[in-house]
Amino acid sequence: MPDYTNDARFKELQFLAGFEHKNTRWQKVRYPKDGGTFEDAKRKQMVLSLIFREMLNGPDILAEGTTGVTGAVLASELDRQFRGDRADLINALVSGREVELELGHLGRLRLFELQDQLKATRIREAFGILFDGRHAERDVAVAILNSRPESPLSLAYLDMNGLKAFNEDGDHSTGDAAIKAFFHVVEKAVSGVGDAYRKGGDEVMVIMPGTPLVEARRCMSGALMSLSKEEISVNGVRRKLSSACGLLAVVDPHAVAEAEIQGADRLQKEAKAASKNPERSRCSALKVQGEPVERFGL
């Protein structure tokens, strides 16, 4: 799996998103003048690049007024002031002094541009229904950067029941038909709300940015109810599909993607344990963070 944490685009996105998390207008940074770690050097290079590209402390943010100056003189004065302010800022930064940075309009445009760039790298899984899971953790990390209490990220983890039995009682084409039907149901249910990724043979993760838990629950409940109506022929006998699903919400932009995915998977495993019927068949089950397990298709 690609290590997205070392992707320069993700690091820049993460840094720029930090300005939107803070309650203060300015952020203070300081990097060693000489030496320091390789990561220190890379971070300083990134910040210098953002300053030169006018995304931090850019021309939309001037330290002094220009009252009473007009026309060509005003243009010259603004240019002189901007160049002087930027030179002072860069000198302080490379000299190891603490500097204050502010995100400008161009920086905010870059923030959304980077999100679009990273999304554009996604590919589909082998069946062409869901997104391939290789970038799922990275995309969760990006979605977390935008999470807030008033705009949470909802994260679902699903595991289809009985894939082994579909393969053993039928054949691999039977198992593939079951997986495809499962994927189609999930993809249709989350369309317009979030994106679904194939995490394993029959495991799916759904990322729903800006989606309150109550809305995400309604979406995943709909998916499980639809799944209970799906049937696959196994040697001429119709067999229903079912799945276990864990669902949680993330409201902290500093949360760790891997930990949140593991949390959703743990909830899924609780649902899996509750999905077994007395006669050893399984129904669909949903475990929402902080709530009892709900069962479907009984």
Side-chain angles (χ1 to χ4, degrees), residues 9-261:
R9 295 167 301 177
F10 179 78
K11 285 185 175 293
E12 188 171 288
L13 170 63
Q14 191 176 39
F15 180 79
L16 292 173
F19 284 88
E20 302 293 83
H21 302 160
K22 308 293 181 182
N23 293 322
T24 56
R25 176 177 171 181
W26 300 87
Q27 279 199 54
K28 295 180 179 180
V29 300
R30 174 185 288 165
Y31 302 106
K33 177 182 178 181
D34 299 306
T37 66
F38 183 41
E39 288 301 316
D40 287 331
K42 289 196 293 185
R43 281 192 291 269
K44 183 163 67 173
Q45 289 173 355
M46 177 183 68
V47 171
L48 286 169
S49 172
L50 290 167
I51 292 170
F52 276 115
R53 286 182 285 160
E54 301 177 5
M55 295 175 186
L56 297 174
N57 298 58
D60 53 324
I61 306 164
L62 294 173
E64 301 171 2
T66 52
T67 305
V69 183
T70 60
V73 177
L74 172 60
S76 177
E77 175 62 19
L78 287 173
D79 184 62
R80 182 201 64 78
Q81 181 181 329
F82 167 62
R83 289 176 181 274
D85 288 347
R86 186 168 68 175
D88 289 342
L89 176 66
I90 292 171
N91 182 57
L93 188 68
V94 299
S95 298
R97 300 200 300 273
E98 184 177 77
V99 300
E100 287 189 317
L101 301 175
E102 182 176 15
L103 185 66
H105 177 65
L106 291 178
R108 291 187 178 88
L109 291 178
R110 176 62 176 165
L111 178 60
F112 287 97
E113 180 185 72
L114 284 166
Q115 292 185 45
D116 290 341
Q117 283 184 10
L118 291 173
K119 280 186 175 181
T121 66
R122 298 181 301 184
I123 61 175
R124 295 284 178 176
E125 44 81 29
F127 294 133
I129 303 168
L130 308 181
F131 288 110
D132 190 286
R134 72 187 67 189
H135 292 307
E137 185 177 320
R138 181 203 65 188
D139 290 353
V140 170
V142 172
I144 284 174
L145 294 175
N146 296 316
S147 65
R148 306 284 190 282
E150 67 276 12
S151 182
L153 160 67
S154 286
L155 185 64
Y157 203 107
L158 300 96
D159 184 15
M160 191 182 84
N161 293 328
L163 176 60
K164 183 179 179 181
F166 277 110
N167 286 324
E168 291 180 347
D169 298 341
D171 52 30
H172 284 296
S173 63
T174 306
D176 285 350
I179 292 174
K180 288 178 184 178
F182 172 47
F183 287 177
H184 277 302
V185 166
V186 175
E187 194 277 333
K188 183 178 179 180
V190 304
S191 178
V193 179
D195 293 319
Y197 298 73
R198 184 180 188 177
K199 282 288 289 175
D202 60 342
E203 295 180 359
V204 174
M205 192 174 70
V206 181
I207 305 172
M208 294 171 276
T211 306
L213 199 56
V214 62
E215 182 180 340
R217 177 177 186 162
R218 187 161 51 244
C219 179
M220 301 319 300
S221 295
L224 296 178
M225 285 189 287
S226 295
L227 189 64
S228 67
K229 300 173 185 176
E230 293 287 329
E231 293 183 342
I232 297 295
S233 176
V234 183
N235 292 325
V237 178
R238 307 298 294 179
R239 184 178 297 180
K240 288 187 175 182
L241 296 181
S242 64
S243 172
C245 177
L247 176 64
L248 56 76
V250 184
V251 298
D252 180 5
H254 302 291
V256 178
E258 182 181 12
E260 298 302 332
I261 294 170

